[in-house]
Amino acid sequence: MSTLAPIPDPESNPRVKAVFDDIRATRKTDFINNLWQRLAFDPALLEATWPEVKQVMATPSAIDPLTKEMVYITASIINGCSYCVHSHTAAAKAKGMTPQQHGELLAIVALAAKTNQIVTGLQVPVDAVFDQG
């Protein structure tokens, strides 16, 4: 359950409308998801958050769009964000993630969680060869 109700007619605020219009243009869709709908309560926060998301996730870079989505899924699992797991899994599937890739991603996340906990519990010192700063 959301901690605040959606703003009725958020696009009546020109600042919100401008961000929503940019989201639509960037993503080539009319859909404005619940994250952006809820952020409309604070136009300054909306205006600060969208450009960062756009820069990292929608601007061509050295990392391909599917890999970006799979990394985002991983971070969302680690951070316990169900909304982002759902959102970025849908985005990854739309970008071509296969069921086999999804399964492998989850196996990697699970393995990393296990070995991270083992290493943390044992307080294993970092090998000098790995610490080349």
Side-chain angles (χ1 to χ4, degrees):
M1 174 182 263
S2 183
T3 60
L4 71 142
I7 304 298
D9 191 24
E11 294 188 65
S12 63
N13 181 315
R15 293 170 66 189
V16 172
K17 182 172 179 5
V19 174
F20 284 10
D21 285 346
D22 192 41
I23 291 169
R24 289 184 187 101
T26 300
R27 294 184 168 172
K28 298 175 179 64
T29 181
D30 287 332
F31 179 66
I32 301 295
N33 69 38
N34 283 336
L35 167 63
W36 305 114
Q37 294 283 345
R38 290 310 194 278
L39 278 178
F41 88 99
D42 185 340
L45 182 58
L46 177 68
E47 290 169 331
T49 305
W50 168 244
E52 187 174 2
V53 171
K54 181 179 176 180
Q55 175 62 40
V56 173
M57 297 303 291
T59 302
S61 68
I63 299 175
D64 67 273
L66 175 56
T67 301
K68 288 181 182 185
E69 294 298 344
M70 292 173 76
V71 170
Y72 213 114
I73 293 166
T74 301
S76 300
I77 291 168
I78 292 165
N79 289 316
C81 182
S82 177
Y83 183 88
C84 291
V85 169
H86 282 82
S87 171
H88 290 277
T89 297
K93 288 178 179 179
K95 289 176 173 61
M97 181 176 71
T98 66
Q100 293 77 19
Q101 288 173 312
H102 192 195
E104 188 171 344
L105 173 66
L106 295 177
I108 293 166
V109 171
L111 176 62
K114 177 181 180 174
T115 58
N116 289 176
Q117 293 299 315
I118 290 169
V119 169
T120 299
L122 295 173
Q123 292 294 291
V124 177
V126 175
D127 297 270
V129 70
F130 299 149
D131 197 15
Q132 297 297 314

